[in-house]
Amino acid sequence: MKGIVLAGGSGSRLRPVTLGVSKQLIPVYDKPMIYYPLSVLMLAAINEILIITTPVDRPYFERLLGDGSRWGLRLTYAEQENPNGIAEAFIIGADHVGDDSVALILGDNIFHGPGFSRLLRTNADDLKGCVLFAYPVRDPERYGIAEVDEDGVLLSLEEKPARPRSNLAVTGLYFYDNDVVSIARRLRPSRRGELEITDVNDTYLQRGRAKVVNLGRGFAWLDAGTHESLLEAGHYVRTLEERQGIHIACLEEIALHSGRIDADRCHQLGSHMAGSGYGRYVMELAHAARPR
């Protein structure tokens, strides 16, 4: 499976901050926002990841992340010149996807929960169709809502329904088989001139090949696309890290524990950031991982 992080857009809901910097480069507590979606793809055992961003912001992502080799990844970059819809990511990234399945995650989505890596890998194996990850919300009128049967099969999708059939909001994490590229290429732009991800999901729904995973209790899903939600996300990360002594979305930790890098490399990466709590945490991880 290949991965795509969609980190484009204008960040209009976060202006004036995003007049000077990409939304996905803004810190969420102690790390750049894009670390969070990258960590999800790493937890899903995905190593080849395409970052789609704007022509203006691309150099800054390349400076921050490089080619990904420090974490045992292969990162490449592509540009979305205008915000033409989420589904355009599959057209832009067609060569990257090749003959593989693909996981798409939005660059401002944050996920955290127990057993997440196992859940992701289970749903990536033998993927036939699409898997949508949903989260129960109190105000379903504000979201794209999925109706499912007892087996998690998708029955209907509706954007911001006046009378919701469920409280399961579709998040910004999607798994698709290779058909998604041809499906995206056949889409017609919406009234807003965008290629809508809902139309992609509707196609899989009509084919009877759409499944929904309810993240449910114990998980957190945050969309850090507004001033309020960005602050909320920062508070959530800070509280959890201080109480549990862990760092959410620590790319070095995931790379170490998954065997992408060894303890010496992990320590080296941490030493370059030794002036920060994040860097010292990475160095401590490396020390603990070395043979006694």
Side-chain angles (χ1 to χ4, degrees):
M1 176 175 273
K2 301 289 180 59
I4 297 177
V5 179
L6 186 56
S10 61
S12 58
R13 293 182 297 168
L14 281 171
R15 289 179 179 173
V17 176
T18 49
L19 292 175
V21 63
S22 168
K23 171 175 63 176
Q24 291 84 8
L25 294 175
I26 294 172
V28 177
Y29 187 49
D30 59 351
K31 62 192 72 70
M33 187 186 296
I34 197 169
Y35 271 41
Y36 296 88
L38 274 177
S39 73
V40 172
L41 297 183
M42 290 178 70
L43 289 172
I46 297 171
N47 293 325
E48 296 181 51
I49 300 170
L50 176 68
I51 311 292
I52 298 178
T53 185
T54 67
V56 171
D57 294 319
R58 177 174 175 169
Y60 302 107
F61 284 97
E62 292 178 331
R63 178 182 178 185
L64 173 68
L65 304 171
D67 63 3
S69 59
R70 77 188 79 163
W71 304 295
L73 303 175
R74 279 184 55 192
L75 299 183
T76 52
Y77 301 85
E79 299 170 3
Q80 186 182 40
E81 294 190 10
N82 298 296
N84 295 324
I86 296 172
E88 190 183 36
F90 303 113
I91 299 173
I92 296 171
D95 290 341
H96 168 73
V97 175
D99 296 326
D100 290 326
S101 55
V102 59
L104 172 68
I105 187 167
L106 304 187
D108 59 2
N109 273 221
I110 297 171
F111 297 86
H112 182 257
F116 197 26
S117 180
R118 183 174 61 253
L119 179 68
L120 293 169
R121 295 183 190 197
T122 298
N123 284 282
D125 291 342
D126 299 320
L127 180 64
K128 297 177 181 178
C130 80
V131 175
L132 309 179
F133 292 83
Y135 188 80
V137 294
R138 289 182 297 178
D139 46 356
E141 300 84 2
R142 296 177 51 219
Y143 299 90
I145 296 299
E147 178 190 12
V148 302
D149 68 13
E150 59 186 14
D151 296 318
V153 176
L154 182 64
L155 299 177
S156 70
L157 280 171
E158 194 171 3
E159 286 294 323
K160 299 180 180 179
R163 297 181 179 179
R165 297 179 181 179
S166 85
N167 69 335
L168 291 179
V170 178
T171 70
L173 174 63
Y174 318 85
F175 286 1
Y176 297 100
D177 64 15
N178 192 256
D179 288 348
V180 72
V181 175
S182 60
I183 289 171
R185 283 173 169 159
R186 292 196 297 268
L187 291 181
R188 294 182 178 180
S190 66
R191 292 180 180 177
R192 297 186 299 177
E194 298 182 0
L195 300 181
E196 303 284 356
I197 196 68
T198 299
D199 293 337
V200 172
N201 298 333
D202 274 333
T203 301
Y204 280 100
L205 169 62
Q206 297 304 319
R207 294 179 179 181
R209 295 168 54 202
K211 173 186 172 184
V212 174
V213 173
N214 181 359
L215 295 177
R217 181 175 296 182
F219 274 85
W221 167 56
L222 300 164
D223 175 352
T226 67
H227 297 289
E228 294 79 13
S229 60
L230 180 63
L231 184 62
E232 178 187 359
H235 282 314
Y236 174 83
V237 173
R238 178 177 183 267
T239 299
L240 206 62
E241 291 187 352
E242 289 190 349
R243 288 182 179 177
Q244 299 187 2
I246 62 170
H247 279 244
I248 298 172
C250 176
L251 304 187
E252 293 81 7
E253 182 172 16
I254 298 171
L256 177 65
H257 290 168
S258 62
R260 292 177 172 95
I261 62 173
D262 62 18
D264 288 342
R265 179 59 174 156
C266 184
H267 189 275
Q268 182 184 38
L269 293 174
S271 68
H272 293 314
M273 303 177 285
S276 70
Y278 183 94
R280 291 189 292 272
Y281 175 78
V282 171
M283 294 169 68
E284 290 168 3
L285 291 171
H287 179 72
R290 285 174 171 150
R292 301 290 181 179

